[in-house]
Amino acid sequence: TCSFNVVVDDCENPTIDVCPADILATANISACENEQTLTAPIVLDNCSDPADIVISYRVFNPHNSVTALLPGTILTYTFQSGTSIVEWVVEDEAGNTSSCSQQVTINENSPVVSAGDDEEICISTSPYTLAGSASNSTNVLWSTSGTGTFDDATSLTAEYTPSAADLNDGQIQLTLTASNACGSVSDQM
């Protein structure tokens, strides 16, 4: 009589049938980032039940940082502005792995600003009410090349009172700067 043992090993990697599609979104203005809910890849395996396949991912952020492997059950992630790569890793019960990559691009949401049209004002017209406009901004600030003053430099409709030196020079430049977490943009009049 003879007996022997037969060992069957699963040496075949799981198959990623569908890797998640790339994502393109716009950053919010308060933190210059965007929270996304990811969709896990669709996976097949020769031996493991799909429910027993472990799915995880790591994020290669645009500023050269990399997350640890995150569980595929936590699919919400806040992406920084720029292009990130999500590396999906799937592992079957035998420890065989496969991976695929997904690109997530978060475009910066830059402020838009207008100081208004260039104006000529009479010396007797003081103070002068400004009419700036801004969008996608969290704050605005007026500044001057002269020495006059603003009643509220953080208001789009601030009043500017020229100084005696401004009036003697005959010309000044007023600048409106709009800012958000993604950056600042200025316009002059």
Side-chain angles (χ1 to χ4, degrees):
T1 327
C2 173
S3 69
F4 56 91
N5 293 326
V6 176
V7 177
V8 178
D9 286 330
D10 176 5
C11 298
E12 190 174 319
N13 291 337
T15 302
I16 298 175
D17 196 36
V18 178
C19 196
D22 292 346
I23 296 172
L24 177 63
T26 302
N28 65 49
I29 63 173
S30 60
C32 205
E33 58 191 20
N34 187 292
E35 183 177 275
Q36 290 289 312
T37 300
L38 302 171
T39 302
I42 297 172
V43 181
L44 304 172
D45 190 62
N46 63 325
C47 293
S48 298
D49 184 287
D52 295 327
I53 296 174
V54 176
I55 299 175
S56 56
Y57 65 97
R58 72 180 58 130
V59 179
F60 294 82
N61 292 299
H63 306 295
N64 298 322
S65 65
V66 181
T67 67
L69 275 175
L70 304 169
T73 55
I74 301 173
L75 294 173
T76 301
Y77 186 83
T78 301
F79 291 90
Q80 303 165 3
S81 65
T83 300
S84 299
I85 302 296
V86 178
E87 179 187 44
W88 291 96
V89 179
V90 297
E91 182 176 351
D92 66 15
E93 292 175 294
N96 300 312
T97 62
S98 290
S99 64
C100 72
S101 296
Q102 171 186 25
Q103 183 172 296
V104 178
T105 302
I106 306 299
N107 292 323
E108 290 188 356
N109 195 355
S110 298
V112 177
V113 65
S114 172
D117 295 331
D118 292 347
E119 293 282 336
E120 288 186 26
I121 61 171
C122 296
I123 291 176
S124 61
T125 309
S126 185
Y128 176 72
T129 302
L130 301 165
S133 64
S135 60
N136 300 333
S137 66
T138 52
N139 57 59
V140 297
L141 182 65
W142 285 101
S143 59
T144 179
S145 63
T147 56
T149 58
F150 298 95
D151 68 331
D152 179 1
T154 61
S155 170
L156 289 171
T157 57
E159 290 187 348
Y160 181 73
T161 303
S163 67
D166 290 350
L167 297 173
N168 286 336
D169 287 344
Q171 182 175 329
I172 57 160
Q173 187 173 59
L174 301 178
T175 302
L176 177 60
T177 302
S179 303
N180 67 26
C182 294
S184 298
V185 175
S186 297
D187 186 47
Q188 293 82 32
M189 65 176 295

